[in-house]
Every structure is written in C-alpha cells, then in structure tokens.
Amino acid sequence: MGKKIKKEVEPSPKDVFDPLMIESKNAATVVLMLNSPEEEILAKACEAIYKFALKGEENKATLLELGAVEPLTKLLIHEDKIVKRNATMIFGILTSNNDVKKLLRELDVMDSVISQLAPEEDVVNHEFASLCLANMSVEYTGKVQICEHGGLEPLIRLLNSPDPDVQKNSIESLYNLVQDFQCRITLQDLNAIPPMLALLKSDYPVIQLLALKTLGVITNDKESRVMLRDNQGLEQLIKILESKDLNDLHTEALSVMANCLEDVDTRVLIQQTGGLQKFLSFAESSTVPDIQKNAAKAIAKAAYDSENRKFFQEQEVEKCLVTLLSSESDGTKIAASQAISAMCESAGSKRLFNNQGIPQLLQLLKSDNEEVREAAALALANLTTGNPASASAAAEADGIDSLINILSSKRDGAIANAATVLTNMAMQEPLRGTVQSHGLMQAIISPLRSSNTVVQSRAALAVAATACDVEARAELRNAGGLEPLVELLRSDNVEVRRHASWAVAACANDELTATELCRLGALEILEEINLSISRKNKFSEVAYNKLLSNNLSLKYSQTGYLSSSDIICDGFYDYGRINSGTRLSPLKELCLQELNHRRAVLLINSKSSDVSPPPSMEDKSDIAYGRSISSSSSLRRASREKTKKISSRFSTGFGSPVEEKSEPTSGRNTVLSKSATKEKGTRKGRGRKEEEKAKEEEEVLAAPKLTGEGNLDKEWCPPSDPDFCVYVYEVTKSILPITSIKEQIESLAKYVAEKMGGKIAKEKIISFGWELHISELKFQLKSNVVPIGLIKKGIFYHRALLFKALADRIGVGCTLVRGDYGRAWNEVKLLTASPKAAIGGFSPPEVYIVDLMFHPGGLMKLGTKEADLYRFL
C-alpha cells in the first residue's frame, strides 16, 4: 500500500475577509451593527434588539439613548424583506415609549411605516406596522401625521385581514384617529362602516369592543348614523343587547344606539324593533353603572320624540329616572338628569316630577362634581319653565340658596340653567320677593359680566324678571349691577341685546334707577340700537321710552313731545330742542353755569329751597311789573317766606305750600324788617286779592348766619318758585272742583294767559316785549335758569309749558308739543255728544288745540285751518 498524502487546504484570496463568528452580550455593540452593509448581520441585529425591547420599558429607553432609533428608520425601506420585517417589528414595540414617539415624529418616518401596510407586504409587517400606528395615534400630532400621509385607507382595508392581531391593531388605530373631527370627516368618504360592523361578529371580544367604541364615536356625525342604519347596523346592535352572553358589550352597544336616536328615522326604526323597551329594561334592572348610564342616555335622546315620550310615560319611566338620581355613579346621575330634562317636554311628566324628583335634583346641586350640578340645574330649568307649580315646589324645598350658589360655578351651562330656574321663580309675584331676599341681585352681577352669551342672556332675563320690585332695583343699583347691564346693550348677540333691553325697561320704572342708567349711557346706546333696522327690538324701544318717561326734561328736549301720561313734576326743566345723541346737562350744572346768551331754561318747581347763598349787595327793581326783585338769593328767600305764609293761611290744599313748615331752617335765623311787620298790620281789612297782591310785592330780607363750613356741604336744591306754588293752590281751589272737563280746560287756559301777560293780538306779538323781560330775569337772577312763575310776559312755549304743568296737578289730561320758531301748544281730547253714536251717545274723542294766546280758552279742532295757523304761522 502506498503512503497517504495529506490534502492541503487552499488559502483564501488575499482580498477577502475571513468569516468571523461573534457572540455579543452588549446592546451598544448590536446597535453599532445596525450600520452594517451585510443583510445577515442587519437581520440578526434587529432580531436581537427586538427581543431586548420586549423585556421592558427600561430597555426601550436604553435603546433610545444608544441611538438605535435613527438607523432603524432607514431599515424600514431596506431591500431585504427580512431586515425590513424585523425593523418593523422593533418599531411596533418601541413606539409604546413616549420619547421614542416624539423622536419618530421629528424624523418624519410616517410614510415608511404606512408603506408596510401595503397588500404585498407580509402579514407580520401588517401586524407590527398597525401596532406602531396604534401607539402613534394616541397623541394629537401623531393623528395629524397619519391622516396627512394617507394612513386611514390602508387601516380600513386591514379590518378585513384574516389575522386577528392585524384587525385588533387596525381598529384600535382607527378608534384613536376618529377622536379628531377632521379624521372623522375623511373616514365618511372611505366607507368604513361595513367592515366595522363585520368586526362585531368576531370571535375576539376585544375586537368587538373596539369596533363598538369606534362606532360610538363616529355616530356622533349624522352621515355616519345614516350609513349605520343603511347597512343594517341597528339589527346587529339589537342582537347584541338581546344576548346575555355578550353582556360585556352592552354598555358600548347602548352608547351607539343612544347616538343613533338623534335621527328621527332611526328613532322610528328603533321603536318598531322594540329598542325602547330594551333601554327601559336595562335602566331598571341592570346593576352595572355604565349600563344604567348609557340606558338613561338612550332614554334621554329617544324622549325628544313625542311618541317615544308617550310610550315611556305609559311605562312609568319617571319613577325609574328618579331612582337613578340616587345612584353612586356620577355618570348615571348626569344621564338621569338629562333624561328628566327631555321628559319635561311632556306636561304629564312635569306633574309627576313635582311630587317626586325635585328634592333629589336640588340635592344634586350640592354635589362636588360640576357636571352633576350642571345636569341637575338643566333638569330643574326645563321642569320649572312654564310650570309655576314646579317653581313653587323648588322654592318650598329650600332650593333658592343652592341655585344662587350655582351662579358662582365654573361651568357656564350650570350658571345659565340656574339663572333660568331663578327667573321662573321670579315670574311669580309671591316668590319674587323671596328670591330677591336671598341676594339674587348681588349674585347675578358676576354672570352679567360673563363672556358667554348664553350666560349673559339668561342673567339679563333674571334681572328683568326680578327688577319689578323697587327693593330689587335699589339693590341692583347699589351693588353696581347697572353698569354691566348697560354694557350688554352693546352686544352683537340678538338674544343678549333683547334681554338686556328688557331688563333695562324693567329697571327704568323708578326715577333713581332711570337716572343712573342714563348716566351710564343707556339712553344713547338704545337710541343707536333703535336707529338700526337689524339691531332694534320691541324691548329696546320700550326701554328707550321708559328712560325718557322717567327723564321728561330730556324727552321733551329730544322729541319735543310729552303725552298726557307724562306728568310734569317738580324739577322738570325745558332746555330747548337738542339733537338726538346730544347730552343734556343736569339742572344743577345749568344753575351753576355762567350767564350766557342762550335761551332761558324754564324750571318747574313748587318746592322751597332749603339752602340759599348769602344775599347780593346789588338790588335791582323791576318797575314794569310792580315787583321788587333784588337777586337770586332774594327771590329764593321770598319764595320760602311766601310758602310759609300760604301754609299758615290754609290748613289744607294741593302741592307743597301746605307741606312746608313755618319754623326757620336749622342753622340760620330769619329776620323780618319792621316795615314788613307794619305792612302786615295795615292789610287786615283788605280783600283776598289785594292781600295776595301786597304779599307778592313785599320783599323779605333774610340774613342767614353761617355756622362754620357745615352749611356749605348741604345738598344742593333747585331754585324755588313761590308764584308757581300760588298758581298750583289757586287752580286746585278754583278749577279742580269744576265737573266739566271742557270748562276746566277753558278756565285753566284763561288763567294761564292772565298770568303770562293776557290776550295778545297776532299783530302785536312782535311788540309784546317778552324777550327783554326774560333777559332782565336772567340778569337779575344771575342765572340761565328761570322759574316759570317769575315769567309775567310769555308767549307760546312759556304758556304751553305752564298749562301742562298746572293741568297735570289737577288731573286734566293734555299733551305738550314743541313747534318751530318758539311755538308750542297743548292738545286735549274731548268727547262730543252725538245722537248717531252707538255707545253712550258719544262719538269717539276728538283732539283739540287749546288757544292760550289770541283767544284764551278757545278750542280749535286739530286739522282745521285755524289750528294750523296757531301751530305753524
């Protein structure tokens, strides 16, 4: 045998690296291998990293710190399928870490991940790519990126995958995505409802549950509800509710059904298929809070249909809902309150809730949960609206304090609903005072300042309902509530503006509040509103007129008209015509102004002034009128003295003369001159007319003694008018007793003309000299304000004002109308006997103009040439 020869191994080429088997136990080393160009190494490195990441969150964070994420993103588009699959698997696991998700959003790898959902890709790629999207879609930014990169369509397609993991991850991704409104809109065009309904038949409860949850979200949109109905989705839901084996799905199935009840057609279909009975059964018998909650929600939505309400009433659903109010679950309490709100559309249900339900709802107002309080307030609002018995029951159950506390809630809905309940209470006169006494006006100020238009509207309405009482208006005014109320008049919201106008109209019922509203600019705002066709409303017009009616001086200056119901009182002044929007200076300001060349401001005042300045050293005499007028201080002192004398002479009478005291005002002494005392003694035998004339001519000098600075701080009073006091007394004594209205008007007209210079021929008006007379009065008074009683030469507008002022004192109805060129007149209505009249022998009242100038006491029928000449020529 020959010797064996050993075969020699051929050496490898010099340019080839010999294979090296490495076993690494360090993650950092493996991460470095991700940059290898060798596919086998990449595949094994990815496999090792996947196993490492599966072990826990700490390992995922470690991989992030080692910089594994960025090289892995490049492997998602690797040519080798195994490398690409393994990289996708890693991202399916890593994306449960928030920091990894954040980095992936910055690296913008969404296209690479979504590409793994393509039909040609392996099912493992589908599983882990959809898992990655499920994790990424939890946050809003991830939702946006997925939708923008077209991720919805492949996810919907994968709902039909035979692999349950792919189905689960895909439906979970869609559930997260449809939380965004834009994603839901996009989903409607992709026909997603049929594959979702198919998942309800899955063998895996988690898939069924996710499908129901997704349907529960998308059926908030009408189009999706229609698609669900058209694809027989309601029948599948009913089957789930009928199956006891699927009781873990009942909660979500009820939620979807409740959404579907928003549509009329669906409500009819559910009623026909027995769905309403199912809702009621679950609400009554289930012990699971979420099932009770969703059943109550379904009842609430179904109850918006009158036929459904009728069915529920027959089944006595009210008792069930009241029971649910005592549930330990806040969600169930909220749903039951909402169902009660819906059932309150039925008068029969309201009656039942009067006896049971109101105490439980009032108790919920004290809950720590703001949503519970809001839902309870909503139920009470619907229950008390148009139902005085419920409002009374809520008040009797001591609910007012709880409702007022809700006005300081953080939720606008709760505030608005509580305000509605309080409004419904205040609409009843017996309850109004009770509501106001609990401090409503103070509590309503904060809602009036709210930025929410619903809250503003309801708060203003509450003010309108409560401000019918003087005490309520005073409380609102003193608490500073008028300012935010006036600001609401500027609102662009129609409802807010209307209710604010209503509230202002209610508040303008007393002079103090009306004056404050005018000071805050309400009149100007309302005037602007009423000039706009689109912004004005009936209440804005009423509020404007009421403010003017409580400020007749402004009304007459702006409109040039006072009706018979506008009663002139002390403090009225005629400033003359002003344009709309122009501010009218207050009387005090006008009295304190320097003398100017404007027309005199005519003042009506029968009250005496309690405060007078020191007497002037310059005395002027008005010889032409037989009257001594020294200064404004002398006039005021004479006014007080004359008023006191009238009071001592008459024990009864009309107006302020009989109400004034004869004692001197505290803080100063009244000194009568000897000549004045002698003058009184010589007049005892004179007749009344001579005595009164003499008293008009006497001048009483009063020297006030100032006791320090205290008198200077006393409240300012307008100039008194003793002559006007006498006029009021005389017409009360001589004209008021006349039984014929026509004779009263004629007598009063003659009386006014006599006091204003008598009858004047038309051709002698120019030479009458009234302008000089008024100028002298202004100069002697050192004021632009002239009391009407001092004017002894007056023309149209002087006489018309005096006639109106005196007519109002004795109850004779007349208007005051301002014309042009110093014209003004009074209109009266008189019944004329007519044998042809059907009622009482009188024709409808006719309007006449009272002649105070040319033929005092004459009556000219409105529309005749004579009347037109008096007014315009």
Side-chain angles (χ1 to χ4, degrees):
M1 292 179 62
K3 188 179 180 180
K4 289 184 179 179
I5 301 173
K6 189 177 179 179
K7 189 177 180 180
E8 296 182 1
V9 180
E10 293 184 5
S12 59
K14 294 181 179 180
D15 58 344
V16 176
F17 186 79
D18 292 334
L20 178 65
M21 300 300 295
I22 297 177
E23 184 177 338
S24 177
K25 294 184 179 181
N26 193 319
T29 304
V30 179
V31 170
L32 292 174
M33 294 169 63
L34 293 175
N35 294 312
S36 172
E38 296 184 55
E39 295 173 353
E40 187 177 354
I41 292 176
L42 290 174
K44 290 183 177 181
C46 287
E47 185 178 352
I49 290 173
Y50 170 73
K51 292 178 180 178
F52 180 71
L54 273 177
K55 294 180 180 180
E57 290 299 320
E58 292 182 0
N59 292 354
K60 297 173 186 176
T62 300
L63 290 171
L64 178 64
E65 292 175 1
L66 293 174
V69 175
E70 191 166 358
L72 280 170
T73 59
K74 299 176 182 177
L75 301 183
L76 287 173
I77 54 175
H78 199 278
E79 295 179 354
D80 185 80
K81 290 185 177 181
I82 297 177
V83 173
K84 184 166 58 174
R85 183 196 66 190
N86 291 351
T88 304
M89 291 170 63
I90 294 173
F91 278 117
I93 302 300
L94 280 182
T95 47
S96 64
N97 183 282
N98 291 329
D99 293 328
V100 173
K101 286 190 284 189
K102 181 179 179 181
L103 180 58
L104 287 178
R105 288 195 298 269
E106 294 174 357
L107 295 174
D108 196 16
V109 296
M110 203 58 69
D111 275 332
S112 302
V113 176
I114 293 173
S115 67
Q116 304 307 309
L117 302 179
E120 62 271 12
E121 295 293 342
D122 188 79
V123 68
V124 177
N125 292 53
H126 290 170
E127 177 185 347
F128 286 94
S130 58
L131 178 60
C132 177
L133 293 179
N135 291 331
M136 293 289 290
S137 60
V138 173
E139 297 175 358
Y140 174 74
T141 311
K143 292 181 177 68
V144 173
Q145 285 189 350
I146 293 171
C147 287
E148 288 180 348
H149 289 84
L152 281 173
E153 187 173 1
L155 285 170
I156 293 172
R157 186 181 67 250
L158 289 179
L159 294 178
N160 296 315
S161 172
D163 188 277
D165 289 322
V166 175
Q167 290 180 337
K168 184 263 180 186
N169 294 336
S170 298
I171 190 63
E172 185 176 359
S173 299
L174 289 170
Y175 172 69
N176 292 335
L177 290 170
V178 295
Q179 307 298 323
D180 180 63
F181 177 71
Q182 292 297 331
C183 290
R184 291 206 301 272
I185 293 178
T186 307
L187 198 70
Q188 292 170 6
D189 300 329
L190 299 177
N191 197 28
I193 299 291
M196 288 184 188
L197 291 174
L199 294 182
L200 297 181
K201 301 176 182 178
S202 172
D203 295 331
Y204 300 92
V206 65
I207 294 177
Q208 292 176 307
L209 188 62
L210 284 169
L212 284 171
K213 284 186 174 183
T214 307
L215 288 170
V217 176
I218 64 176
T219 49
N220 285 309
D221 304 322
K222 183 177 181 180
E223 292 77 7
S224 296
R225 293 194 294 268
V226 173
M227 291 177 65
L228 180 73
R229 187 181 70 239
D230 294 343
N231 286 276
Q232 289 75 47
L234 292 175
E235 288 80 351
Q236 288 186 249
L237 293 171
I238 293 291
K239 288 180 181 179
I240 291 174
L241 293 175
E242 291 175 343
S243 174
K244 294 182 179 180
D245 295 334
L246 299 177
N247 56 4
D248 56 329
L249 302 178
H250 288 172
T251 300
E252 300 302 330
L254 282 169
S255 178
V256 179
M257 293 281 281
N259 289 341
C260 293
L261 286 165
E262 297 280 353
D263 298 322
V264 177
D265 294 338
T266 307
R267 285 203 296 266
V268 173
L269 183 58
I270 290 176
Q271 185 181 13
Q272 292 172 350
T273 54
L276 298 183
Q277 185 64 50
K278 292 284 187 301
F279 300 152
L280 191 55
S281 175
F282 279 115
E284 290 176 338
S285 59
S286 177
T287 57
V288 180
D290 285 343
I291 291 180
Q292 290 180 326
K293 176 185 70 175
N294 288 337
K297 281 185 178 179
I299 291 172
K301 292 183 178 180
Y304 286 109
D305 182 83
S306 58
E307 290 297 321
N308 293 344
R309 285 198 302 274
K310 184 178 179 181
F311 169 80
F312 285 138
Q313 276 186 277
E314 293 172 354
Q315 302 299 319
E316 297 184 338
V317 72
E318 294 87 357
K319 294 180 180 179
C320 172
L321 295 176
V322 171
T323 303
L324 292 180
L325 291 177
S326 302
S327 170
E328 294 181 359
S329 167
D330 285 344
T332 303
K333 293 175 183 176
I334 293 169
S337 299
Q338 292 170 343
I340 290 174
S341 301
M343 289 299 298
C344 284
E345 293 293 324
S346 169
S349 293
K350 279 187 177 182
R351 285 192 296 271
L352 290 172
F353 287 128
N354 286 347
N355 301 323
Q356 52 181 347
I358 287 181
Q360 291 88 334
L361 289 169
L362 291 174
Q363 189 63 34
L364 294 184
L365 293 179
K366 301 175 183 178
S367 171
D368 295 332
N369 189 313
E370 290 281 352
E371 291 186 38
V372 172
R373 297 167 70 187
E374 180 178 354
L378 174 62
L380 286 167
N382 288 349
L383 188 57
T384 56
T385 299
N387 187 11
S390 294
S392 299
E396 291 170 3
D398 297 327
I400 297 176
D401 283 334
S402 299
L403 289 164
I404 289 179
N405 289 336
I406 294 290
L407 295 178
S408 58
S409 170
K410 297 177 182 178
R411 295 181 70 89
D412 290 334
I415 298 172
N417 294 329
T420 299
V421 181
L422 291 166
T423 300
N424 294 336
M425 290 180 177
M427 296 293 282
Q428 301 180 60
E429 188 173 351
L431 295 180
R432 188 180 305 134
T434 307
V435 172
Q436 187 260 326
S437 66
H438 282 72
L440 173 61
M441 286 307 186
Q442 182 71 42
I444 204 70
I445 294 176
S446 178
L448 286 174
R449 299 183 188 276
S450 171
S451 58
N452 184 289
T453 54
V454 176
V455 174
Q456 292 173 348
S457 173
R458 303 284 178 84
L461 192 57
V463 172
T466 316
C468 300
D469 297 331
V470 177
E471 295 83 2
R473 293 194 291 269
E475 185 179 347
L476 182 69
R477 184 177 68 247
N478 296 333
L482 295 181
E483 184 177 356
L485 183 61
V486 170
E487 283 302 312
L488 293 185
L489 293 173
R490 304 180 189 273
S491 174
D492 293 328
N493 184 279
V494 175
E495 196 77 3
V496 173
R497 201 165 53 245
R498 185 161 65 93
H499 288 167
S501 300
W502 189 354
V504 169
C507 290
N509 279 320
D510 68 74
E511 187 175 354
L512 283 176
T513 309
T515 303
E516 180 65 12
L517 286 168
C518 290
R519 187 188 70 80
L520 293 170
L523 201 62
E524 291 79 3
I525 300 172
L526 288 167
E527 183 179 12
E528 181 182 347
I529 291 173
N530 291 333
L531 290 175
S532 169
I533 297 176
S534 60
R535 291 172 62 83
K536 73 176 181 179
N537 56 76
K538 291 182 179 179
F539 290 114
S540 66
E541 295 173 348
V542 171
Y544 180 76
N545 290 330
K546 278 201 172 185
L547 284 177
L548 283 182
S549 296
N550 276 288
N551 192 342
L552 294 184
S553 301
L554 178 60
K555 181 177 183 179
Y556 188 50
S557 292
Q558 280 197 353
T559 66
Y561 180 82
L562 294 182
S563 69
S564 57
S565 61
D566 294 325
I567 306 301
I568 292 179
C569 300
D570 292 331
F572 175 89
Y573 59 100
D574 177 13
Y575 179 81
R577 192 193 307 272
I578 63 173
N579 295 325
S580 297
T582 304
R583 175 180 177 271
L584 178 64
S585 300
L587 179 60
K588 180 178 179 180
E589 185 178 320
L590 293 171
C591 287
L592 299 178
Q593 280 180 355
E594 293 290 331
L595 195 63
N596 57 42
H597 296 291
R598 284 187 55 85
R599 56 152 276 182
V601 178
L602 306 180
L603 173 65
I604 302 294
N605 186 27
S606 62
K607 294 181 180 179
S608 64
S609 176
D610 293 332
V611 180
S612 299
S616 171
M617 298 303 293
E618 297 180 6
D619 290 348
K620 302 291 181 181
S621 298
D622 191 350
I623 303 173
Y625 315 128
R627 180 179 179 83
S628 176
I629 302 177
S630 60
S631 66
S632 61
S633 60
S634 300
L635 284 169
R636 295 188 182 106
R637 289 194 300 274
S639 168
R640 288 196 303 277
E641 188 64 26
K642 183 167 289 187
T643 302
K644 292 171 188 174
K645 291 182 179 181
I646 294 171
S647 300
S648 64
R649 209 168 62 223
F650 305 110
S651 60
T652 59
F654 183 89
S656 60
V658 297
E659 298 171 359
E660 296 298 324
K661 296 180 180 179
S662 59
E663 291 83 358
T665 306
S666 176
R668 61 178 181 269
N669 297 324
T670 304
V671 181
L672 303 179
S673 65
K674 293 181 179 179
S675 60
T677 306
K678 293 179 181 178
E679 186 72 9
K680 286 200 289 182
T682 59
R683 283 196 225 105
K684 291 182 180 178
R686 297 182 183 179
R688 175 171 292 183
K689 291 184 178 180
E690 293 179 358
E691 183 179 348
E692 290 178 356
K693 182 177 179 181
K695 288 182 179 180
E696 287 178 5
E697 292 176 352
E698 85 177 353
E699 176 180 357
V700 182
L701 298 175
K705 296 180 180 180
L706 298 178
T707 57
E709 296 295 330
N711 283 319
L712 297 177
D713 296 332
K714 287 189 176 181
E715 185 179 354
W716 175 88
C717 294
S720 59
D721 190 348
D723 288 1
F724 182 68
C725 295
V726 174
Y727 296 168
V728 171
Y729 174 78
E730 290 180 348
V731 298
T732 303
K733 188 150 183 81
S734 60
I735 299 178
L736 180 60
I738 299 174
T739 56
S740 169
I741 295 178
K742 182 179 179 182
E743 292 180 12
Q744 280 184 323
I745 293 170
E746 292 172 346
S747 299
L748 183 59
K750 293 175 182 177
Y751 180 88
V752 168
E754 178 187 349
K755 299 301 180 183
M756 287 282 183
K759 175 181 177 180
I760 308 173
K762 294 181 181 180
E763 60 274 9
K764 293 185 178 180
I765 293 180
I766 298 177
S767 60
F768 185 51
W770 66 272
E771 296 99 331
L772 178 60
H773 171 57
I774 300 296
S775 297
E776 288 177 345
L777 287 176
K778 287 174 60 178
F779 179 76
Q780 291 159 3
L781 294 170
K782 299 296 187 291
S783 173
N784 300 307
V785 179
V786 178
I788 193 73
L790 296 183
I791 300 175
K792 304 306 175 185
K793 282 191 173 184
I795 59 166
F796 295 93
Y797 72 93
H798 304 106
R799 299 185 181 201
L801 175 58
L802 180 59
F803 183 90
K804 169 69 173 168
L806 293 174
D808 288 344
R809 301 295 173 114
I810 61 173
V812 174
C814 72
T815 67
L816 176 60
V817 187
R818 189 194 306 279
D820 296 322
Y821 308 110
R823 296 287 175 115
W825 59 89
N826 307 102
E827 297 175 357
V828 295
K829 288 183 178 180
L830 292 174
L831 291 171
T832 55
S834 172
K836 297 181 180 180
I839 302 175
F842 289 93
S843 297
E846 295 180 337
V847 181
Y848 293 87
I849 292 177
V850 183
D851 190 340
L852 302 173
M853 291 285 292
F854 311 131
H855 304 285
L859 297 176
M860 301 165 284
K861 188 175 180 180
L862 189 66
T864 61
K865 183 177 180 181
E866 182 183 15
D868 291 340
L869 288 173
Y870 185 85
R871 291 186 297 164
F872 304 124
L873 298 178

